Amino acid sequence: MIANRGNDTDLSFMFAYAKIFPIIMVLFMGVWFGWFWSVAIGLQPRVPEDVVMKVNKFKVFFFTPLIYILLLATVFSLFTTGNGRNPGIFALIVPLHLFSIFCMFYILYFVSKTIKTVELQREVSFSDFAGEFFMIWFFPIGIWIVQPKINKMVRE
C-alpha cells in the first residue's frame, strides 16, 4: 500500500518486490538468449559451405551480455537488500552496459543473417535480412513471424 502523508509518498513497498526482479530478469534473459543460441548455432550446419560466418565472434559477443546481466542482477540485489552502498560500482556498470548493448545488436545481426543465409543459400547483405533483424529486435512479436520460417527451414 502507498501511504500518503501530505506530499510524501511511502514507496518502501517497492523494495520488497524489487528483490524478485533479478530472478525474473535472469529467467527472461535465459529464455531469450537460449533462443538466440539455438537459432544461430543450430542453423550453422545448413549454411552453405562457401559462406563464412564468424561463429567464434558471435560466441564471445553472446556470453558478454550474459555475464553482464548476472553481474547487474547481483549488484541490483545487493542494493535492494541494503548490504551494498558503493556508488563507484556505477563507474564500472556504465561502460559494461554500453558494450553489452553493442553485443546485443551484434547478436541480433548474426542471428538474422544466419536465418536469411540459410533461407537464400547464399552470401547476404544487411538489406537482405533487415526485416528479420527488426522483427527479432521487437521480441516477442517478431519471433511469431520469424519462428515459422525457421521451422520450415529445419523441416526441409
Side-chain angles (χ1 to χ4, degrees), residues 26-125:
V26 167
L27 289 174
F28 172 77
M29 296 306 285
V31 170
W32 198 33
F33 274 74
W35 187 85
F36 287 150
W37 183 268
S38 66
V39 171
I41 302 302
L43 289 179
Q44 286 305 310
R46 300 182 185 276
V47 172
E49 291 181 14
D50 59 325
V51 176
V52 177
M53 305 274 307
K54 299 177 181 175
V55 179
N56 289 331
K57 185 177 181 181
F58 166 77
K59 289 177 181 178
V60 169
F61 286 165
F62 178 83
F63 286 108
T64 302
L66 283 178
I67 294 167
Y68 168 70
I69 288 166
L70 290 174
L71 174 71
L72 186 66
T74 303
V75 168
F76 187 75
S77 66
L78 286 176
F79 277 94
T80 57
T81 58
N83 295 337
R85 298 281 186 238
N86 185 1
I89 193 75
F90 293 108
L92 178 65
I93 288 178
V94 170
L96 283 175
H97 192 78
L98 294 174
F99 183 65
S100 195
I101 290 170
F102 170 78
C103 291
M104 288 299 302
F105 277 112
Y106 184 80
I107 292 168
L108 295 172
Y109 168 85
F110 188 86
V111 170
S112 56
K113 183 176 181 178
T114 301
I115 292 168
K116 204 57 159 181
T117 299
V118 171
E119 183 181 356
L120 299 178
Q121 289 294 305
R122 64 174 171 83
E123 183 73 39
V124 293
S125 64

Side-chain angles (χ1 to χ4, degrees), residues 119-138:
E119 183 181 356
L120 299 178
Q121 289 294 305
R122 64 174 171 83
E123 183 73 39
V124 293
S125 64
F126 184 75
S127 61
D128 293 325
F129 62 88
E132 283 80 3
F133 178 85
F134 288 107
M135 283 190 282
I136 293 169
W137 188 359
F138 295 108

